[in-house]
């Protein structure tokens, strides 16, 4: 375990020692912030069947800890709030030890709802499904295109806010661009990201929302699996775009999203541009309101659109049983994955989740 991981473990374990219990269910912050909340998340999973897509380590049946998080959030009277969260779970790939790493660590100035300023490590505003919080996703895992083409968490600064009674929201920021938990920048350039979303129609029981996002980056050396670059490392320029829409109508929800990244590499010889894209459509319905929910999802991911290989196509069917909302729920997903030159993959994922 790295020195940074050890320090993170000690910090997260030490947080409760800064709090003095006053009565059952009541804590007192050690600092001068008026509110401080300690929470966490556990997701225990099992998988059976074939390997599935390239995110999974093998076709071995297994039990594993997907996420095990502890977080602290708070705010000050001076119009600042903060969040610190560590994750001690595993990954979809096979690993010989559980990880310990920072997920979120940021400070936010919240004086103006129209222009919050956030600094630290957090999710970049690119990709609706990526921005949707892990414990509230309808499927157990995100679409493959969201995992491969979005930028997830980065170190940087962002301004964002909302207008028209939160019917129009935006976020724009600059980040190092070389992934989470990397305390450096691989070059003198930054990753620039922006997102705009709005509610086009809102009346009971129908709400219709749309969104769009874009990013651009110049890179010297970043990890880039599945795209055919030497040693899975990319150097060059990237431009990403995406569009999404969501419809909520009573018990029914419909999500759709399209993402694309254009790569202009310097790491290939001869120099050539490639494009990667993909989409998903997801429909869910509560058979028992707030209790039993079914989901169907179709998705594609094409890492190189102009080659002769077919994109990865995945179909998902699932059920979720909410014992206490998202705080305690059971999920079951069946995945059928079709990849060029391989037999169809049939995979079953299960999860029990607790938020505390």
């Amino acid at each position: 375990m790295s020195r940074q991981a050890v320090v993170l473990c000690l910090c997260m374990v030490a947080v409760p020692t800064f709090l003095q219990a006053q009565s059952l269910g009541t804590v007192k912050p050690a600092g001068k912030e008026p509110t401080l909340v300690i929470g966490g998340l556990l997701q225990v999973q099992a998988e059976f069947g074939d390997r599935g897509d390239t995110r999974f380590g093998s076709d071995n049946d297994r039990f594993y800890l997907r996420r095990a998080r502890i977080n602290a959030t708070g705010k000050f009277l001076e119009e600042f709030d903060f969040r610190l969260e560590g994750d001690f779970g595993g990954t979809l790939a096979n690993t010989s030890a559980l990880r310990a790493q920072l997920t979120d660590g940021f400070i936010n100035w919240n004086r103006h709802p129209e222009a919050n300023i956030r600094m630290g490590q957090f999710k970049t505003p690119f990709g609706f499904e990526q921005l949707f919080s892990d414990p509230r996703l309808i499927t157990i895992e995100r679409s493959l295109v969201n995992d491969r083409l979005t930028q997830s968490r980065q170190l940087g600064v962002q301004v964002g806010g909302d207008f028209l009674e939160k019917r129009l929201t935006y976020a724009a920021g600059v980040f190092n661009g070389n992934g989470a938990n990397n305390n450096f920048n691989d070059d003198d350039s930054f990753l620039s990201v922006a997102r705009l979303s709005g509610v086009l129609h809102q009346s009971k029981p129908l709400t219709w929302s749309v969104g769009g996002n874009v990013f651009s980056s110049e890179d010297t050396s970043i990890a880039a699996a599945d795209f055919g670059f030497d040693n899975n490392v990319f150097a060059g320029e990237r431009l990403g775009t995406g569009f999404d829409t969501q419809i909520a109508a009573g018990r029914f929800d419909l999500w759709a999203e399209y993402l694309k990244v254009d790569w202009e590499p310097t790491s290939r010889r001869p120099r050539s541009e490639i494009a990667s894209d993909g989409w998903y459509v997801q429909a869910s319905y509560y058979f028992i309101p707030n209790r039993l929910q079914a989901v169907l999802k179709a998705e594609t991911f094409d890492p190189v659109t102009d080659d002769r290989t077919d994109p990865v196509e995945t179909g998902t069917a699932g059920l979720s049983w909410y014992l206490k909302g998202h705080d305690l729920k059971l999920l079951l997903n069946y995945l059928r994955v079709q990849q060029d030159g391989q037999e169809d993959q049939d995979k079953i994922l299960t999860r029990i989740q607790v938020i505390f």
Side-chain angles (χ1 to χ4, degrees), residues 183-198:
N183 204 29
F184 64 90
N185 192 353
D186 60 316
D187 55 21
D188 285 334
S189 299
F190 290 113
L191 166 74
S192 301
V193 191
R195 176 174 173 81
L196 180 66
S197 61

Side-chain angles (χ1 to χ4, degrees), residues 299-354:
E299 60 177 276
T300 69
F301 170 58
D302 196 345
V304 183
T305 60
D306 59 355
D307 66 8
R308 297 182 178 180
T309 60
D310 294 328
V312 181
E313 298 182 349
T314 304
T316 301
L319 288 172
S320 299
W321 180 255
Y322 297 85
L323 299 171
K324 191 177 180 181
H326 293 287
D327 292 345
L328 179 61
K329 66 179 180 179
L330 305 173
L331 299 94
L332 172 66
N333 284 182
Y334 164 74
L335 282 68
R336 165 60 69 91
V337 182
Q338 297 175 310
Q339 302 183 72
D340 193 77
Q342 299 185 24
E343 295 183 357
D344 292 352
Q345 303 283 292
D346 296 297
K347 195 172 192 68
I348 294 176
L349 300 176
T350 64
R351 170 185 290 175
I352 181 170
Q353 172 178 293
V354 174

Side-chain angles (χ1 to χ4, degrees), residues 78-317:
E78 292 80 6
E79 297 165 335
F80 282 87
D81 58 78
F82 62 89
R83 180 177 176 85
L84 175 66
E85 181 178 74
D87 191 352
F88 308 93
T91 65
L92 292 181
N94 289 336
T95 55
S96 58
L98 296 179
R99 63 186 179 181
Q101 67 174 11
L102 182 72
T103 54
D104 289 326
F106 61 82
I107 301 170
N108 185 65
W109 183 57
N110 58 32
R111 180 174 183 178
H112 302 291
E114 303 83 5
N116 278 216
I117 299 176
R118 179 178 297 184
M119 296 187 67
Q121 179 169 290
F122 49 91
K123 285 186 177 182
T124 58
F126 184 83
F128 172 81
E129 191 182 34
Q130 180 60 230
L131 288 167
F132 210 81
S133 65
D134 299 317
R136 287 171 169 76
L137 285 170
I138 300 174
T139 56
I140 291 179
E141 298 297 338
R142 290 181 172 84
S143 60
L144 181 59
V145 65
N146 258 267
D147 275 356
R148 290 295 189 247
L149 296 187
T150 59
Q151 302 307 301
S152 191
R153 290 176 170 87
Q154 305 271 352
L155 276 162
V157 59
Q158 169 187 291
V159 58
D162 58 77
F163 300 91
L164 304 176
E165 297 181 340
K166 298 186 177 181
R167 295 189 62 167
L168 181 66
T169 62
Y170 78 97
V174 291
F175 305 85
N176 286 343
N178 44 280
N181 296 298
N182 289 320
N183 204 29
F184 64 90
N185 192 353
D186 60 316
D187 55 21
D188 285 334
S189 299
F190 290 113
L191 166 74
S192 301
V193 191
R195 176 174 173 81
L196 180 66
S197 61
V199 178
L200 296 184
H201 177 84
Q202 188 172 35
S203 64
K204 291 184 178 182
L206 179 66
T207 300
W208 178 27
S209 304
V210 297
N213 28 239
V214 61
F215 79 81
S216 64
S217 181
E218 295 182 10
D219 310 294
T220 299
S221 177
I222 63 164
D226 289 351
F227 305 102
F229 302 117
D230 294 339
N231 301 315
N232 290 327
V233 174
F234 172 75
E237 297 181 5
R238 292 179 292 157
L239 176 65
T241 53
F243 306 94
D244 57 86
T245 186
Q246 301 81 41
I247 295 174
R251 301 184 187 184
F252 175 78
D253 283 279
L254 179 67
W255 295 1
E257 184 169 14
Y258 172 78
L259 297 171
K260 180 182 180 182
V261 173
D262 293 305
W263 311 74
E264 188 175 344
T266 58
S267 53
R268 275 192 168 189
R269 296 294 185 268
R271 180 184 177 94
S272 61
E273 298 182 8
I274 69 168
S276 307
D277 72 355
W279 55 264
Y280 71 85
V281 177
Q282 173 182 288
S284 61
Y285 182 79
Y286 275 105
F287 285 103
I288 303 176
N290 301 318
R291 284 289 185 180
L292 181 62
Q293 184 182 38
V295 61
L296 292 175
K297 185 176 187 178
E299 60 177 276
T300 69
F301 170 58
D302 196 345
V304 183
T305 60
D306 59 355
D307 66 8
R308 297 182 178 180
T309 60
D310 294 328
V312 181
E313 298 182 349
T314 304
T316 301

